[in-house]
Amino acid sequence: MKSSMRRDSIRGRGRRAALAVALGSVLALTATACGDDGSGSAGDKGNEGSGKGTITFWDNNGGVRTDIWKQIIADFENKYPDIKVKYVGIPAAGAQSKYDTAIQGGGLPDVGGVGTAMLAEVGAQGALEPLDSRLRKSSLNGKLSQNLIDVSKAAGGGDTLYQVPTSANNGTLWYRTDLFKKAGLDAPTTWSKFYEAAGKLTDKGKNQFGFTIRGGEGAIAPALDAVYGQTGITSFWNGDKTTVNDPKNVAALEKYVALYKKDTPSADVNNDFTKMVAQWDSGTIGMLSHNLGSYQDHLKALGKDRFRGIPNPTLDDGTRVQVSNPVDGLSLFKSSRNKAAAWKFIEFAVSAEENSKFNRAAGQVPANTDAAEDAWIQQAEPTKLAAEALNGGDTKIVQLPYYLPDWNTISKADNEPNFQKVLLGKMSAKEFLDLLADQLNAAQADWKKNH
């Protein structure tokens, strides 16, 4: 274990050294890199500009969202004929590297899509404009989900807002209403009912299982969601130490992984979301934990009357605790020479009408709470319930540390194989969470030292 920790420390130092080099490059280039299109490098302070003219917008999910963004841009230019928006679509997989390159070499946009997964790293390089004062004076003030605002601030590494949230996904428990009805089971709205259903719906002789658990790529976040949801612990940190290996969380993980092969298919150990969704859609499995993104797949495979999607279970007393899901949003770049026009675009894009239009196309939950009341959401029950959970004052969100430079490495490459070992009985739940906690505590200490 000590050898593993040393490798983690070396890897973390390597990433931080690379970031330091990038920051040095930014400072060296500041004096020379000045885009004549109104953009520049991270060190440029930019200015408010005239509020007219051309601004550049980078879509961080180009191709997938191009059509809907072009509609929103057309609406914006119709309302503000003195402002033109130059659209640049960037495939999601390349968005982070595109921003990093522009931060070092110049050519940043005026406004761009920046998800919470990359928010801290882009912000740490001095590229983003603080937005708190702009939001306070804006028509959007009081119109955005406070829970999503909190996620955005936490992902940025502190109390400053560097991203106006546009949309979010949410953990959803999909269940087969026909199988539940046949077995005389209540909807799995609580963890007690979830575990009861997982057992009663399993009949290995008929290849029927109560649940499908995610064991392959992307397994850590849903496992943490299940753990914190069961214990009701509401903070990822207790001082400078993570709560991830709290004894209550260890017990919750033990109970959760005990479902594997008892009430789930053995193939689950290698299943990412694509395989898991396909397996649930084509078989006789009672429940699946995934986000809203698979709704259309279920609808096509099962028809609207054989399944239902609800927020992940609550405690028996109705307490809802869930981990933060990635939030997409728009950021204003500090180097913009027309911040006034760029901010107008952000305000317009996240207004009730346009935010509703965007999220209807994306199949996600609007950040604008007025948009979340629109008819299309009320008619799509899984999205409606997800919006109520995300916007509800009673929902407690455990903020995952997206701001840590090593978070993606720790939560994916370093520990997904270890989670598979837990499922296979080769590592205990306590050993897994203790190792995860050691890595997180070291990363947190290093982050605080440098901030």
Side-chain angles (χ1 to χ4, degrees):
M1 183 178 296
K2 289 181 179 178
S3 175
S4 174
M5 280 300 296
R6 281 196 297 270
R7 288 195 299 271
D8 296 330
S9 178
I10 290 168
R11 180 188 295 110
R13 287 198 298 270
R15 289 193 65 194
R16 288 185 288 277
L19 183 56
V21 171
L23 286 167
S25 299
V26 169
L27 295 175
L29 286 162
T30 298
T32 58
C34 297
D36 55 12
D37 59 351
S39 59
S41 62
D44 294 341
K45 294 182 179 179
N47 56 60
E48 284 299 298
S50 65
K52 301 178 181 180
T54 299
I55 59 172
T56 299
F57 164 60
W58 284 8
D59 173 10
N60 61 326
N61 199 0
V64 177
R65 303 279 184 255
T66 297
D67 288 345
I68 185 60
W69 272 120
K70 287 193 172 181
Q71 289 181 40
I72 292 170
I73 289 169
D75 292 344
F76 175 76
E77 292 179 342
N78 185 56
K79 181 174 181 179
Y80 297 100
D82 292 332
I83 304 174
K84 300 300 177 186
V85 180
K86 179 182 176 182
Y87 171 88
V88 179
I90 305 166
Q96 175 74 67
S97 61
K98 179 78 170 176
Y99 280 125
D100 287 343
T101 300
I103 287 170
Q104 295 180 49
L108 283 165
D110 298 280
V111 59
V114 179
T116 47
M118 70 175 85
L119 186 63
E121 202 155 322
V122 174
Q125 297 178 73
L128 302 179
E129 180 87 357
L131 299 174
D132 298 272
S133 61
R134 292 178 190 270
L135 183 59
R136 281 194 295 269
K137 302 170 187 175
S138 169
S139 59
L140 294 177
N141 191 32
K143 297 294 185 180
L144 302 180
S145 165
Q146 187 58 49
N147 279 339
L148 296 191
I149 289 285
D150 290 344
V151 171
S152 294
K153 287 187 175 183
D159 298 323
T160 302
L161 185 68
Y162 290 106
Q163 174 218 56
V164 174
T166 56
S167 56
N169 229 315
N170 201 46
T172 301
L173 184 63
W174 304 98
Y175 72 98
R176 288 283 299 272
T177 51
D178 53 345
L179 299 181
F180 270 69
K181 183 177 180 181
K182 185 177 179 180
L185 290 165
D186 292 334
T189 53
T190 67
W191 285 105
S192 297
K193 292 178 179 178
F194 166 82
Y195 281 109
E196 178 190 7
K200 287 191 175 181
L201 292 174
T202 297
D203 186 339
K204 293 182 180 179
K206 296 181 181 178
N207 199 35
Q208 297 175 355
F209 297 94
F211 184 55
T212 174
I213 194 169
R214 187 167 180 169
E217 184 181 355
I220 303 300
L224 292 179
D225 211 2
V227 164
Y228 280 95
Q230 290 177 76
T231 63
I233 294 172
T234 58
S235 176
F236 198 78
W237 301 103
N238 181 10
D240 291 333
K241 301 296 182 183
T242 180
T243 59
V244 76
N245 62 336
D246 183 285
K248 293 180 181 178
N249 282 344
V250 172
L253 184 61
E254 288 172 343
K255 187 173 184 179
Y256 184 68
V257 298
L259 293 171
Y260 175 64
K261 288 180 71 173
K262 181 173 77 72
D263 296 321
T264 79
S266 59
D268 281 355
V269 69
N270 293 312
N271 282 353
D272 59 11
F273 87 90
T274 304
K275 294 175 183 175
M276 193 173 59
V277 167
Q279 180 176 263
W280 191 72
D281 285 345
S282 63
T284 52
I285 299 173
M287 296 177 289
L288 159 73
S289 184
H290 188 239
N291 58 46
L292 293 169
S294 54
Y295 178 55
Q296 292 301 325
D297 293 326
H298 308 325
L299 200 60
K300 183 177 179 180
L302 300 170
K304 64 178 182 178
D305 297 324
R306 295 172 63 197
F307 76 97
R308 189 179 176 216
I310 60 175
N312 284 337
T314 68
L315 297 175
D316 287 342
D317 64 3
T319 300
R320 182 180 305 285
V321 177
Q322 62 183 63
V323 300
S324 54
N325 283 272
V327 173
D328 211 2
L330 298 173
S331 293
L332 177 61
F333 284 81
K334 192 176 291 184
S335 58
S336 170
R337 293 191 175 84
N338 202 345
K339 294 176 186 177
W343 177 249
K344 282 182 184 178
F345 178 71
I346 291 175
E347 282 186 308
F348 182 84
V350 194
S351 65
E353 182 177 353
E354 301 300 319
N355 193 231
S356 177
K357 185 183 298 183
F358 175 83
N359 282 284
R360 186 172 190 177
Q364 295 185 323
V365 178
N368 189 302
T369 52
D370 288 342
E373 297 298 322
D374 279 2
W376 69 269
I377 291 183
Q378 305 309 308
Q379 293 162 10
E381 187 194 37
T383 308
K384 175 178 179 288
L385 295 176
E388 290 173 353
L390 279 174
N391 297 329
D394 295 333
T395 298
K396 307 299 181 185
I397 295 182
V398 179
Q399 302 292 352
L400 296 181
Y402 297 119
Y403 59 87
L404 292 177
D406 295 335
W407 168 248
N408 281 337
T409 302
I410 291 171
S411 64
K412 295 181 183 296
D414 285 353
N415 284 292
E416 286 177 352
N418 288 337
F419 184 71
Q420 291 180 315
K421 290 179 183 178
V422 177
L423 292 177
L424 295 170
K426 297 179 180 180
M427 177 183 277
S428 72
K430 185 177 188 305
E431 288 172 332
F432 171 74
L433 290 178
D434 281 346
L435 176 59
L436 181 60
D438 286 344
Q439 295 167 332
L440 288 165
N441 289 338
Q444 174 76 349
D446 188 82
W447 184 84
K448 294 196 86 170
K449 179 181 178 182
N450 290 285
H451 289 79

